[in-house]
Each structure stands twice: as structure tokens, then as C-alpha cells.
Amino acid sequence: MTEVAAEPSPFTLAEGRTALIVIDMQRDFLLPGGFGESLGNDVGQLLKVVPPLAALIAAARTAGVMVIHTREGHQPDLSDCPPAKLTRGAPSKRIGDPGKYGRILIRGEYGHDIVDELAPVDGELVIDKPGKGAFYATELQDVLVSAGITQLLVTGVTTEVCVHTTTRETNDRGYECLVVSDCVGSYFPDFQRIGLEMIKAQGGIFGWVADSSAVIPALRGLATTAA
Ligand code: TIU
């Protein structure tokens, strides 16, 4: 059975055409002392995403579903960070400042990398992105087209920022997206709830929503079909 009990309607996983995208599960967003906390956020809100997402990633790997990780961050010289992003607001630390886990949101720093529990395995693609959306200034579209991917299971943080931006980008490029509700997280409980409602409203204006307990059995079905 490869059908997911999703909202607003059932979603059928297409064998060989589905990828799992794991957005920005980086120490900079999840751990105290990183970029997320510098913006004034309670980073503890995001940690609950890790256990269900680890289980979902494991199920995808078993099913032979392509797993793609993304990381938001910038070159050490900040040449890919627009001034509008660099100077926005009044954070306790700015992008590029020294932080607890290295320079804030800078590629190659410990804080920029993915948390240990969700570390990519050999052969999995890691897309480094300078923006909130995973398509902007990255190779993602080329990768998906050459792999024949038409559907994305969308996970990661934060629901209303990089998950939403990426889901909207995929929608405009013709992909079908299922956002996995307990595998995305927000610093703001209200934004989490409303962010998910916005995806599935109006007959699924941006896509579908289901939790991992509905997606994992369908992934197992995919593995059985493929065997
Ligand atoms: N601040 C916030 O909620 N998110 C980001 O800045 N980036 C991502 O969502 N990855």
C-alpha cells in the first residue's frame, strides 16, 4: 500500500519518482548559541522534530527513496549574503560573527552542519543554499530533473520560513509536495499550526499534509513493491 492518508486528500507515493528533502536541520537552528537563538528564538521548540524525522529518514533509506539534505549558510567572505539579509533586525549576533559553534551561519563551521542524529550517509546529496528556498542559487532543480523526481516529501525547519519557501518553489515548478507535519518545526506553535493549514487549504493549494505515522507505512509499501 503506497497511499498516504493525507489532507486534503489521499496521496499516493510514486515508486522511483519520490524524494525526501530534509531542510536545514543544522546546529545553527536547533542548538543554543546558533543563528536561530541569535534571532531571539526558543530553539528547544525544534528538537522534537528530530526523533520522528530520524525514523522517517530511516524508512526512506530502506525504501530506496532518494534523501536530499539542505543547509542554509554563506561563504566565509559573505559574498553570497545580501546586505538586506546581513543587516536585518537587531540580532544578538549577525551572520558571520563568532558564536558558540563557530561563525554564525557560515559554511564549513560546526554550527552550520547538520545535527548528528540526522547526519547524511554516503551517497546522499547535501545542497548548500544561501537563501530560504532550496531552489534559489542551487543545483536542486537539475538534480530532481535528472533523477526523474516528481514528488517530494518535505521535512525540516522552520515550517513557516524555509519549509514554506521551498514548498512554494516546488509547487511553481510542478512538483507534488507532501509536508510531513511532525517532521517540520517552528519556533512559534501558532505558526506551526497555521503554516500547515496554509499548505493544505483550498484543496491543497501548495500540497498535502500528513504525519510520519501515515507516511512510514506507505514507504514500507514502496519497499515491498520495489522488492
Ligand atoms: N528564522 C527562521 O525561522 N528560519 C530561518 O532563518 N531559516 C530556515 O527556516 N531554515
Side-chain angles (χ1 to χ4, degrees), residues 5-93:
E7 291 183 312
S9 58
F11 184 92
T12 303
L13 298 184
E15 191 192 330
R17 293 195 281 116
T18 306
L20 168 63
I21 183 160
V22 183
I23 298 174
D24 300 356
M25 292 299 289
Q26 299 160 253
R27 299 185 184 103
D28 253 317
F29 293 106
L30 275 87
L31 300 185
F35 180 62
E37 192 178 74
S38 79
L39 300 173
N41 295 309
D42 170 11
V43 293
Q45 287 287 338
L46 302 189
L47 286 176
K48 53 174 161 291
V49 172
V50 172
L53 182 48
L56 184 73
I57 293 172
R61 286 173 181 152
T62 303
V65 165
M66 180 185 223
V67 179
I68 300 170
H69 306 258
T70 71
R71 297 182 297 202
E72 181 180 345
H74 296 282
Q75 303 286 357
D77 65 1
L78 298 175
S79 56
D80 59 352
C81 184
K85 182 176 182 182
L86 190 59
T87 60
R88 184 87 43 93
S92 60
K93 286 183 190 295

Side-chain angles (χ1 to χ4, degrees), residues 122-164:
D122 281 352
E124 285 176 356
L125 193 67
V126 179
I127 304 243
D128 281 316
K129 62 188 188 59
K132 305 304 183 194
F135 287 86
Y136 169 67
T138 73
E139 66 276 35
L140 182 58
Q141 171 73 346
D142 289 345
V143 166
L144 297 178
V145 169
S146 31
I149 300 297
T150 60
Q151 296 185 334
L152 289 165
L153 301 174
V154 183
T155 66
V157 296
T158 62
T159 306
E160 75 279 14
V161 182
C162 290
V163 169
H164 246 265

